[in-house]
Amino acid sequence: QVQLVESGGGSVQAGESLSLSCVVFGYTLTNECIGWFRQAPGKEREGVASIYTGAGWTLYADSVKGRFTISHDNAKNTVYLQMNSLKPEDAATYYCAARYGYCSRDWRNRAVYNYWGQGTQVTVSS
């Protein structure tokens, strides 16, 4: 059974940083697309960043480019999301998701992912 477990959420002030982790259980990361999504109350779940664990190729939403960095450590079966210069509009529940194969142009489409974590909450106050 494949399980994704997020951690690292919390409450910060605007301008501060947080680092999220997504640990994958029941499967060894080799060539997968891992995406980070977020969902704020009353809003759609949106893709934030993705990484192809086979090569480290990354993709970002425009809203987080230059502030967020996604990375992976296959030896630890973990994908990270470093979030810097946080803004109040970044506040949301953050989820990681996994699919087999490359991160294609539809990486922001929730339907293409096979597995999801339960989420970790990020609060940013101004």
Side-chain angles (χ1 to χ4, degrees):
Q1 179 99 10
V2 178
Q3 288 186 314
L4 281 66
V5 179
E6 304 96 335
S7 63
S11 182
V12 297
Q13 298 282 329
E16 294 183 340
S17 300
L18 276 176
S19 181
L20 306 183
S21 298
C22 171
V23 181
V24 180
F25 296 95
Y27 184 82
T28 300
L29 291 177
T30 52
N31 296 283
E32 297 74 27
C33 176
I34 306 296
W36 279 101
F37 287 73
R38 66 186 181 188
Q39 188 168 18
K43 294 190 176 182
E44 293 287 319
R45 191 171 298 189
E46 62 172 352
V48 173
S50 68
I51 189 166
Y52 172 57
T53 62
W57 300 330
T58 59
L59 294 165
Y60 294 94
D62 288 344
S63 58
V64 305
K65 278 182 183 177
R67 298 189 299 123
F68 290 11
T69 302
I70 189 170
S71 61
H72 71 112
D73 185 339
N74 286 0
K76 295 182 178 180
N77 249 25
T78 301
V79 173
Y80 305 96
L81 185 68
Q82 177 65 40
M83 306 186 295
N84 297 330
S85 302
L86 282 162
K87 304 176 181 180
E89 52 263 42
D90 295 318
T93 299
Y94 282 72
Y95 302 87
C96 61
R99 62 168 292 183
Y100 301 108
Y102 297 104
C103 297
S104 57
R105 291 183 179 180
D106 62 352
W107 69 271
R108 300 189 72 180
N109 181 357
R110 293 173 291 169
V112 305
Y113 291 87
N114 305 105
Y115 305 100
W116 288 84
Q118 294 300 306
T120 185
Q121 189 164 357
V122 172
T123 304
V124 185
S125 56
S126 57

